[in-house]
Amino acid sequence: GAGVSQSPSNKVTEKGKDVELRCDPISGHTALYWYRQSLGQGLEFLIYFQGNSAPDKSGLPSDRFSAERTGGSVSTLTIQRTQQEDSAVYLCASSLGRGPHYEQYFGPGTRLTVT
Amino acid sequence: AQTVTQSQPEMSVQEAETVTLSCTYDTSENNYYLFWYKQPPSRQMILVIRQEAYKQQNATENRFSVNFQKAAKSFSLKISDSQLGDTAMYFCAFATGANSKLTFGKGITLSVRP
């Protein structure tokens, strides 16, 4: 079956512009996660959705970052007024349910470059 | 807060040989899971193996096995009969609680030489 998909695969934007990154989880997966992978910070958690609600937003680095999930499916991560330090690979993962015993399946990521 | 430490930035192994990747972690939790993920150049993270902390028996998946030492908070990955396709970055990760967000180590780049 289809895995987690993310779009775009690569995004180059100018400093100060807003960007939207999309994640399509595996059908039926109720939990969805966003992570960021950068050279300086490694892999770090951003936000977790259970259904359409986000009980854990503790990893969002600033109020320029926001995310939403609609219909218990697609999620969008929005970065406003992008900065060069936002350059990273943004990974999305989904799992069948909540709890670490459910495997997280990752998408291929979106590479964001802020110039 | 939980931390995961991978102190070796890179390793190299000859094809068909065995290699062990190290990982230590710190937590005050009693119930948690540990994972090894593989990330090839395609960027797609793939779960290699996982260990539940309350299980004393070390997990195995074909050529991959772990050495889980709970008291020492150590979780190493052994790859037997290394193959060229094993070349990738490997991340050790930790998860606990209902939200099960993953906390990752910095990763290790493994190269398998022909």
Side-chain angles (χ1 to χ4, degrees):
Chain A
V4 178
S5 60
Q6 293 186 246
S7 60
S9 177
N10 292 282
K11 175 74 176 177
V12 180
T13 190
E14 291 180 353
K15 178 181 171 182
K17 294 283 179 70
D18 297 352
V19 295
E20 283 190 355
L21 312 179
R22 177 187 169 108
C23 171
D24 282 85
I26 293 172
S27 178
H29 280 197
T30 63
L32 186 147
Y33 304 80
W34 284 98
Y35 297 90
R36 180 169 73 171
Q37 185 173 19
S38 59
L39 281 175
Q41 301 299 322
L43 261 163
E44 52 184 347
F45 164 81
L46 297 178
I47 186 169
Y48 155 68
F49 287 92
Q50 181 60 39
N52 291 336
S53 62
D56 189 347
K57 308 179 184 180
S58 61
L60 294 178
S62 76
D63 58 9
R64 295 186 297 104
F65 287 72
S66 63
E68 65 174 11
R69 189 178 185 196
T70 55
S73 182
V74 172
S75 177
T76 303
L77 177 69
T78 301
I79 309 173
Q80 295 178 311
R81 304 181 302 281
T82 52
Q83 303 294 312
Q84 287 187 330
E85 62 262 28
D86 300 334
S87 295
V89 175
Y90 290 81
L91 296 169
C92 175
S94 70
S95 65
L96 193 56
R98 59 188 298 175
H101 53 288
Y102 288 102
E103 180 177 347
Q104 292 186 30
Y105 294 83
F106 282 80
T110 293
R111 181 178 297 280
L112 175 67
T113 304
V114 182
T115 61
Chain B
Q2 289 80 29
T3 59
V4 178
T5 302
Q6 294 178 254
S7 55
Q8 307 153 303
E10 53 186 274
M11 290 188 73
S12 179
V13 64
Q14 194 75 32
E15 192 176 11
E17 294 192 343
T18 295
V19 64
T20 298
L21 311 183
S22 302
C23 173
T24 58
Y25 61 95
D26 192 22
T27 183
S28 57
E29 300 283 342
N30 279 322
N31 296 319
Y32 52 88
Y33 286 68
L34 294 161
F35 308 84
W36 279 97
Y37 278 88
K38 171 184 177 181
Q39 186 179 42
S42 66
R43 293 201 311 241
Q44 189 102 28
M45 296 279 281
I46 302 164
L47 178 64
V48 175
I49 197 167
R50 68 176 156 191
Q51 174 80 39
E52 300 164 62
Y54 67 87
K55 288 190 175 178
Q56 292 187 338
Q57 187 172 5
N58 288 325
T60 63
E61 287 286 343
N62 301 313
R63 298 183 294 108
F64 300 88
S65 62
V66 299
N67 183 5
F68 174 46
Q69 301 288 329
K70 190 172 184 179
K73 296 181 180 173
S74 169
F75 183 62
S76 60
L77 174 69
K78 185 172 82 171
I79 306 175
S80 304
D81 185 25
S82 297
Q83 300 176 359
L84 296 178
D86 295 335
T87 293
M89 275 202 81
Y90 287 82
F91 291 91
C92 179
F94 173 103
T96 188
N99 72 4
S100 60
K101 64 185 180 187
L102 292 164
T103 299
F104 289 92
K106 290 200 175 297
I108 178 172
T109 300
L110 176 66
S111 300
V112 180
R113 306 186 304 273

